[in-house]
Amino acid sequence: MTATATAGRITARIPTLLAAEEVSKYYGADGSHVLVLDRITLELRDGEFVALLGPSGSGKSTLLRILAGLLSPSSGEVRVHGEPLRGVNPFAAMVFQSFALFPWLTVLQNVELGLLHKRGLKSEERRQRALAALDLVGLDGFEHAYPRELSGGMKQRVGFARALVREPEMLFLDEPFSALDVLAAENLRGDLLDLWLARKIPTRAILMVTHNIDEAVTLADRLLIFSANPGRIRAELPGLPLAERLSKGQTHAELVDTIYRIMTNPREEIERLLPQARILQRPAAPTSPVLPHADVGELTGFLERLTALGGREDLFELARDLQLEADELLPLVEAAQLLEFTRVEEGDVVLTETGRTFATADLLQRKELFRQIVAERVEWIREIVWTLRVAPRHRQAEDWIVRRLEEHFSPAEARRQLETAIEWGRYAELFAYDEHSGILYLEENGA
Ligand code: ADP
Ligand code: MG
């Protein structure tokens, strides 16, 4: 196994099995056109296990489906062995998080489905190959069981057998362990690693999508770290040497921690934390962020308290000091971050210059500062103000905004986003709101 050869420099001579070049994907035929993947470029090379690590909703499944040829990109190209991919990728097989088994078919029949594309295959040969695949994943004896009789772990073993029966050159795994309980996941992960390392399967490369950092660090020769909205590859880094991955010692734990810090902070300096990483794409600036549901009065109190504590405090200490539960503190911290009143450093909340100014200002100055920052940082609130400015009599029904928000959020969340925006917008005196009619409007002398 040439895992160590995948550390970036030496890889040039290793054959590339699959390449994505500047692949972008938009969703929304109704014109909403949400960009889900933004110019993704990656390679999958002979002999490597690559983990693609990203938050949920970052487009990981979409990317896998594009690489498997189940979905076409809006722009860019996928090449398999140097040839542009048209239709389904014949060299790949996929394992899904949801198992995707047919409940009315037996285990054996489900696995035989993996060979459906092989037209000329005799039924006896299909059966023999399916039995061999079941043997490989430790399910001999369960051929005639139905999926409902199996535990989650065993169901996913069927999922693996259905993929492996094709003897795929490339195996794509879409969060294959995340629906399993901890032990079943651990067990199956170990078995997969054994099949792969001992070359019991003819598969030449594995691409696994996951949001589980520990899992990615344990399995991968190379890691790609994704950011969301739109999906981009922030960084690529070599995996740990196999021995350190298997022993799960100190270096393993440290790498998991560092990646966690990077994934939870779009501005984290990857160069400093992980000198071995290659920086690829910067995460998009959150122009239309989700508003944390923070009350302005509470936010003010939070910033005043932080000032009184010297401008820096540990998150847990702060929660204790303010007698807030984590779920009450979180929106305040998120709002303070969004408005650049604070930043989070190594688990401490640190007041910025702007935050200090806000916390020590009088009411009028506060409103003015809040107004400037909200209008600057929250694009869709700025859009509301602009729309009111050009609307007849500077009035607009809130339903219009809810409909706009529903392009990005569930109906309930769209409603909550609007309520928070109204609270912030009124405080900032960016616009006014009539509760009875549900109308937003600009005051005579308004913004
Ligand atoms: P991940 O696998 O990283 O969780 P997905 O690729 O499933 O992400 O989805 C990325 C984004 O695209 C999500 O915001 C999701 O709601 C959206 N999305 C996924 N599939 C579709 C679809 N068929 N139509 C419209 N939007 C979709
Ligand atoms: Mg997914």
Side-chain angles (χ1 to χ4, degrees):
M1 155 99 193
T2 53
T4 50
T6 55
R9 279 147 275 116
I10 336 170
T11 46
R13 265 171 265 124
I14 298 177
T16 296
L17 305 180
L18 173 90
E21 229 163 75
E22 305 253 316
V23 163
S24 295
K25 181 70 184 174
Y26 287 90
Y27 275 131
D30 56 344
S32 55
H33 261 60
V34 181
L35 181 63
V36 175
L37 293 172
D38 186 21
R39 289 163 294 150
I40 300 297
T41 294
L42 59 80
E43 288 188 346
L44 189 61
R45 303 176 197 118
D46 200 352
E48 62 178 353
F49 193 131
V50 177
L52 205 153
L53 191 53
S56 71
S58 56
K60 304 183 299 294
S61 295
T62 301
L63 180 59
L64 269 196
R65 298 179 73 79
I66 289 174
L67 299 178
L70 302 170
L71 197 67
S72 51
S74 305
S75 64
E77 190 171 70
V78 177
R79 284 201 308 274
V80 179
H81 292 285
E83 297 294 320
L85 177 63
R86 309 252 179 270
V88 175
N89 180 346
F91 297 92
M94 182 110 98
V95 177
F96 302 94
Q97 175 182 3
S98 62
F99 321 138
L101 304 182
F102 291 91
W104 58 86
L105 297 183
T106 64
V107 163
L108 184 64
Q109 289 166 331
N110 266 289
V111 175
E112 285 186 40
L113 275 186
L115 290 172
L116 223 51
H117 63 296
K118 295 244 178 204
R119 294 259 160 73
L121 213 58
K122 297 244 169 15
S123 66
E124 182 52 29
E125 191 185 349
R126 193 162 65 216
R127 189 185 140 84
Q128 288 308 327
R129 284 177 65 174
L131 286 171
L134 282 169
D135 207 11
L136 212 52
V137 300
L139 278 185
D140 38 337
F142 288 92
E143 304 76 36
H144 303 299
Y146 284 88
R148 64 169 181 277
E149 301 167 48
L150 305 181
S151 66
M154 287 162 78
K155 283 190 186 116
Q156 191 57 303
R157 281 173 192 270
V158 182
F160 270 98
R162 186 185 46 204
L164 293 174
V165 74
R166 304 169 69 117
E167 308 199 322
E169 182 185 79
M170 319 166 194
L171 187 58
F172 295 160
L173 310 177
D174 192 355
E175 309 211 22
F177 311 111
S178 64
L180 308 182
D181 65 68
V182 179
L183 287 179
E186 191 64 36
N187 196 240
L188 188 48
R189 236 182 252 126
D191 286 358
L192 170 67
L193 203 57
D194 176 54
L195 289 176
W196 166 244
L197 293 177
R199 294 189 169 279
K200 294 177 188 164
I201 49 177
T203 298
R204 313 273 295 265
I206 300 182
L207 179 59
M208 179 185 68
V209 148
T210 181
H211 62 253
N212 183 330
I213 304 173
D214 195 290
E215 178 174 293
V217 169
T218 302
L219 294 177
D221 301 318
R222 185 156 65 93
L223 296 105
L224 299 171
I225 303 178
F226 241 54
S227 64
N229 300 315
R232 291 182 178 172
I233 303 180
R234 282 176 78 185
E236 169 193 80
L237 62 144
L240 294 173
L242 191 58
E244 285 170 36
R245 275 149 56 185
L246 297 179
S247 64
K248 283 208 172 198
Q250 184 71 11
T251 32
H252 187 286
E254 277 168 13
L255 185 57
V256 171
D257 268 8
T258 309
I259 294 177
Y260 179 78
R261 271 177 63 176
I262 290 171
M263 287 183 63
T264 51
N265 186 352
R267 279 179 242 177
E268 194 62 85
E269 296 170 56
I270 304 178
E271 301 91 324
R272 187 172 55 81
L273 294 174
L274 291 172
Q276 72 273 37
R278 198 153 70 92
I279 315 292
L280 294 170
Q281 294 176 289
R282 289 176 61 80
T287 47
S288 294
V290 181
L291 293 186
H293 301 293
D295 175 275
V296 181
E298 285 177 12
L299 179 63
T300 309
F302 164 78
L303 293 168
E304 284 171 347
R305 188 67 198 136
L306 188 57
T307 310
L309 291 167
R312 180 180 192 121
E313 186 55 274
D314 180 83
L315 260 176
F316 296 106
E317 283 305 321
L318 200 57
R320 199 168 308 147
D321 182 83
L322 293 165
Q323 301 191 354
L324 292 176
E325 294 295 332
D327 63 336
E328 299 170 295
L329 183 63
L330 198 61
L332 295 177
V333 175
E334 283 175 347
Q337 290 238 94
L338 172 66
L339 302 173
E340 298 189 341
F341 289 148
T342 62
R343 56 178 189 274
V344 173
E345 266 175 23
E346 283 153 8
D348 287 352
V349 187
V350 182
L351 205 61
T352 61
E353 212 37 56
T354 316
R356 192 178 300 276
T357 307
F358 182 84
T360 52
D362 66 27
L363 182 64
L364 278 180
Q365 291 168 324
R366 260 183 199 163
K367 276 180 183 276
E368 180 55 36
L369 191 57
F370 196 84
R371 184 215 309 260
Q372 281 173 19
I373 294 173
V374 166
E376 186 184 305
R377 298 279 300 153
V378 189
E379 192 179 50
W380 64 267
I381 291 189
R382 190 166 64 227
E383 195 184 316
I384 292 175
V385 175
W386 182 81
T387 308
L388 293 176
R389 228 179 256 156
V390 298
R393 295 191 295 140
H394 305 309
R395 299 156 66 84
Q396 188 64 264
E398 64 180 352
D399 289 352
W400 163 83
I401 300 162
V402 173
R403 278 201 304 278
R404 293 268 297 131
L405 289 171
E406 282 178 355
E407 291 171 17
H408 301 277
F409 303 105
S410 68
E413 183 57 24
R415 194 28 74 183
R416 292 187 69 203
Q417 286 288 317
L418 177 73
E419 277 162 18
T420 302
I422 288 175
E423 215 244 320
W424 289 19
R426 285 172 111 179
Y427 175 84
E429 297 180 17
L430 282 163
F431 48 77
Y433 173 67
D434 181 341
E435 255 140 359
H436 296 291
S437 57
I439 300 268
L440 290 124
Y441 61 99
L442 295 181
E443 307 270 24
E444 286 299 297
N445 59 346

